[in-house]
Amino acid sequence: MADLPYRPIACAVHDRLEHLTVRGAVCRIRYELPDGTSETVDAAIQDLLTDDGAEYAVLSTGQRIRLDHIRSFGPAAPGPVTPSTRSQTR
C-alpha cells in the first residue's frame, strides 16, 4: 500500500484536519497499514506537510501518517468521524 500513488483527500477533510492541528487537541485517528489492517492512535496532530507528492499528518507520538491512509478521525472521545461523512456534510 505504501507504494500506491497518493490519492488527494477532499478539501473539507483537509480543512478539518487543519482545524484539529491548530487546536492541538488529542485526536483518535484510525489509519490503514500496508497489509490492509488498520491501527488506531490517540495523539495531537502537530503538523500537516507535503513530501514527494503526498500529504502527511505529523503526530505528537512521532508518527507520520499519509493522509489518504486515514480512515477516520475525530476527538479522542466520544467517537471518530469518518472522512467520507465529514466531506459530504460541509
Side-chain angles (χ1 to χ4, degrees):
M1 186 166 128
D3 296 328
L4 294 176
Y6 179 74
R7 295 177 318 257
I9 63 170
C11 290
V13 174
H14 196 279
D15 289 348
R16 180 72 178 136
L17 289 167
E18 284 181 330
H19 176 75
L20 292 170
T21 303
V22 170
R23 285 188 48 219
V26 174
C27 305
R28 177 160 292 150
I29 301 169
R30 186 174 61 86
Y31 60 97
E32 191 170 338
L33 298 170
D35 65 4
T37 62
S38 64
E39 187 169 301
T40 301
V41 62
D42 288 349
I45 302 171
Q46 293 184 322
D47 197 9
L48 297 174
L49 57 89
T50 303
D51 184 24
D52 199 26
E55 296 177 290
Y56 296 87
V58 179
L59 307 183
S60 58
T61 59
Q63 292 170 283
R64 191 171 103 154
I65 300 173
R66 216 168 86 168
L67 298 189
D68 63 338
H69 293 181
I70 294 175
R71 297 299 168 244
S72 64
F73 65 92
V81 175
T82 61
S84 59
T85 302
R86 175 57 67 187
S87 65
Q88 293 172 359
T89 59
R90 189 140 191 227

